[in-house]
Each structure stands twice: as structure tokens, then as C-alpha cells.
């Protein structure tokens, strides 16, 4: 009898196992304007068919032949490593990073000997469709004459005014201490 009293609360907490529930799956993020949780259709409704290849896709915020976001970040960092500040600055909105760029520690390195860049998938930082503000996570390893340094952070990109490609709008790059 004592065991039954101890097990009874567990049954109420866990629920009855005689009704089979479908396994929980992670669903993709709902687009803006999607139905609220209260508007979820009943379980017996037909599932939504997967999109087909003929389904229209959102137009890009930049020209179709433009560099993708991670490639632009690679171009910028490679130009810095080669000492080509003019090409690097041309990747920024307004032709330069401004008075005190948020990647100043990286830009101040005088003698790049080696450069390794790892970029993550671009993240939309606005709700526009298509997104007009993207953030590219980045990990950078720089070798100089005297040491190897690591940096982490992100570069924020926006479409150029003429839509021809992406340009760097801002950055947050910090040295990583070992």
C-alpha cells in the first residue's frame, strides 16, 4: 500500500502511458505574421505538403551575381592581411570603417604572416523579406612575426545602395585570450 501511495503522484506528473502521443519534433521558425499558438489547427487536419521546386522563392536583397556574405568578409580580411587597406576599406559603407572601427585591434596588426578565417552562416538581423541586415559570425587566427592571435565576433552587412552586392555596415571583433 505504501508503494502505491508513492507511485501515485508520479503517475499524475507523467500522465497515462496508454494514449500514444506522436514524438515531438523541432519545427522551423514561423515566419512573421504566422498563426499564434492559440490558432494551431486541430490534430486531425491534413499536414501541409512540403514546398516543391516550382514554389516561388524570396528575391534577394542584392544582385544574383554578387558575392555572398561570407565571401565578402573573406575578401575584406584577405585585403587587410595583404596590406591593401584601400581594397579593404572599399568593402565598408561609405568607403571606410569610420574613425574607430570595431575591428581596430585586427586592423592595427602590422605584419600578417598567416591568416585563417572561419565564417558561420549569415544571420538575418531584421524582419524585412528579403533580409537587408545580415550578421556573419567569424573566427580569425592571425600569425605575425612574433605571435599567433585569435579573434572572434561578427561583421554586419547591408546591401549597397545600388543593390550590386553587400557592404560592411559594422563589426564587433574581439581578441580571444588563451
Amino acid at each position: 500500500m505504501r508503494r502505491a501511495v508513492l507511485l501515485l503522484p508520479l503517475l499524475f506528473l507523467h500522465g497515462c502511458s496508454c494514449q500514444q502521443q506522436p514524438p515531438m519534433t523541432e519545427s522551423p521558425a514561423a515566419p512573421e505574421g504566422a498563426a499564434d499558438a492559440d490558432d494551431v489547427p486541430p490534430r486531425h487536419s491534413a499536414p501541409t505538403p512540403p514546398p516543391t521546386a516550382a514554389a516561388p522563392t524570396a528575391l534577394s536583397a542584392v544582385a544574383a551575381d554578387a558575392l555572398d556574405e561570407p565571401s565578402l568578409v573573406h575578401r575584406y580580411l584577405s585585403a587587410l592581411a595583404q596590406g591593401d587597406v584601400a581594397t579593404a576599406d572599399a568593402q565598408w559603407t561609405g568607403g571606410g570603417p569610420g574613425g574607430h572601427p570595431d575591428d581596430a585591434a585586427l586592423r592595427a596588426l602590422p605584419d600578417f604572416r598567416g591568416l585563417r578565417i572561419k565564417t558561420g552562416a549569415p544571420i538575418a538581423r531584421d524582419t524585412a523579406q528579403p533580409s537587408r541586415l545580415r550578421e556573419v559570425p567569424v573566427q580569425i587566427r592571425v600569425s605575425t612575426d612574433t605571435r599567433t592571435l585569435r579573434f572572434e565576433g561578427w561583421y554586419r552587412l547591408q546591401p549597397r545602395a545600388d543593390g550590386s552586392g553587400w557592404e560592411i555596415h559594422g563589426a564587433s571583433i574581439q581578441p580571444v585570450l588563451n
Side-chain angles (χ1 to χ4, degrees), residues 17-148:
S17 63
C18 57
Q19 294 179 342
Q20 295 295 323
Q21 299 290 330
M24 293 186 62
T25 59
E26 191 171 317
S27 62
E32 186 174 13
D36 293 331
D38 297 339
D39 299 334
V40 174
R43 187 195 304 245
H44 62 274
S45 67
T48 305
T52 62
T57 58
L59 297 174
S60 176
V62 299
D65 61 343
L67 284 176
D68 64 357
E69 301 92 321
S71 296
L72 178 80
V73 171
H74 278 261
R75 174 185 278 179
Y76 167 70
L77 293 170
S78 295
L80 276 183
Q82 295 168 6
D84 189 354
V85 177
T87 299
D89 286 351
Q91 308 308 312
W92 281 83
T93 303
H100 185 70
D102 290 333
D103 65 348
L106 184 62
R107 291 177 65 93
L109 291 175
D111 53 351
F112 283 72
R113 294 287 181 215
L115 175 65
R116 184 171 190 169
I117 307 163
K118 182 178 179 185
T119 55
I123 302 166
R125 289 298 182 202
D126 63 356
T127 57
Q129 291 295 330
S131 173
R132 300 189 55 79
L133 189 60
R134 304 273 178 89
E135 191 173 280
V136 179
V138 65
Q139 296 176 342
I140 306 162
R141 187 173 62 176
V142 177
S143 299
T144 67
D145 283 336
T146 58
R147 61 188 187 257
T148 298

